[in-house]
Amino acid sequence: MQPPLGKRRQIRQDPRSEGPLVYEKLSDPILVKRAKDGDAHALAALCERHAPRVERLASHLLADPEDARDAAQEALAKLCVRLRQFRGESQFATWLHRLVVNTCRDVGDRQRVRRCEPLLEDARVSPDADPAREAALSELRHELAAELSTLSEEQARVVVLKDALGFSFAEISRGSGMPVGTAKCYAHRARAGLRARLTDEHAATDEHAA
């Protein structure tokens, strides 16, 4: 009769603890994949990583610093919207380089058209010229900018992409993963707030003039 076998000692394995994901350490391909899947933090990390390079390239291509800043911001906005179009056939940095170059070309063309437009109307003195009104309009623009800064990040992004950069709601949806209906709702709420501020400012200006 054989003695009973002793029980095997089970080795207890603790589950591997995973710390928080450090997006700054992820490679571009991983960030792109996660951003395409709707990870907003990955998209933000991607923009933050490449923003200095985008700004340097824009400054190199456009002589006017203001134009370069506008082009860099527009290129980063396009990155958010068009990232889903990136198929990985080239490196992400190469794709982004072409995007920035094309954006700078568009900005440069727009500025050249504006500089070449005849300003015959502006060269004449308007009989309705009113320094007080111009000052009031300037103050109103500052108020609208302040109002825009009080919007939520999502609402402000939709308004800038739709009204300032001219993207469609479908493009905004594809780039951010936000449903088209949500983007339209954000735009409607933001415009309503801005319109209310504009109406109030006009009423106050007219009352003061009366």
Side-chain angles (χ1 to χ4, degrees):
M1 181 176 180
Q2 296 181 350
L5 298 176
K7 294 183 179 181
R8 293 183 178 179
R9 183 180 178 182
Q10 296 181 351
I11 301 176
R12 184 177 180 181
Q13 296 181 348
D14 295 331
R16 184 179 179 183
S17 59
E18 297 183 357
L21 187 62
V22 181
Y23 286 88
E24 291 78 7
K25 296 183 178 180
L26 299 179
S27 64
D28 281 353
I30 294 178
L31 287 177
V32 169
K33 175 64 168 57
R34 296 184 69 92
K36 283 185 174 182
D37 292 339
D39 190 336
H41 295 291
L43 180 59
L46 202 60
C47 291
E48 184 176 356
R49 174 180 298 174
H50 290 275
R53 185 180 306 173
V54 169
E55 293 169 356
R56 287 195 300 269
L57 179 57
S59 299
H60 176 72
L61 295 174
L62 295 171
D64 188 286
E66 201 68 36
D67 293 347
R69 282 192 292 269
D70 291 343
Q73 293 176 0
E74 185 172 335
L76 290 174
K78 287 181 179 179
L79 161 62
C80 298
V81 174
R82 301 183 183 179
L83 183 61
R84 293 181 184 275
Q85 300 176 8
F86 175 61
R87 299 180 180 179
E89 297 173 353
S90 61
Q91 291 187 356
F92 173 76
T94 303
W95 177 82
L96 180 59
H97 184 277
R98 289 197 297 266
L99 180 66
V100 177
V101 170
N102 291 335
T103 302
C104 288
R105 183 182 298 114
D106 293 340
V107 170
D109 291 342
R110 290 200 299 265
Q111 293 301 329
R112 280 191 292 272
V113 169
R114 292 193 183 110
R115 294 188 185 103
C116 294
E117 287 178 348
L119 301 177
L120 298 179
E121 294 294 332
D122 293 338
R124 297 182 300 181
V125 178
S126 172
D128 299 328
D130 185 354
R133 178 176 174 80
E134 292 298 323
L137 291 176
S138 177
E139 183 179 355
L140 176 58
R141 284 191 290 268
H142 287 294
E143 290 291 334
L144 291 176
E147 180 71 16
L148 184 62
S149 67
T150 63
L151 298 177
S152 68
E153 181 179 352
E154 292 81 5
Q155 288 183 4
R157 182 190 306 172
V158 170
V159 170
V160 171
L161 291 175
K162 183 67 176 69
D163 296 334
L165 300 180
F167 291 109
S168 67
F169 286 116
E171 290 175 323
I172 296 174
S173 174
R174 286 195 299 269
S176 63
M178 180 187 304
V180 173
T182 302
K184 290 182 177 179
C185 181
Y186 282 158
H188 175 75
R189 291 178 181 176
R191 289 167 179 167
L194 295 175
R195 190 178 300 112
R197 173 64 65 89
L198 179 63
T199 302
D200 292 342
E201 292 291 340
H202 272 299
T205 302
D206 293 341
E207 182 179 354
H208 179 72

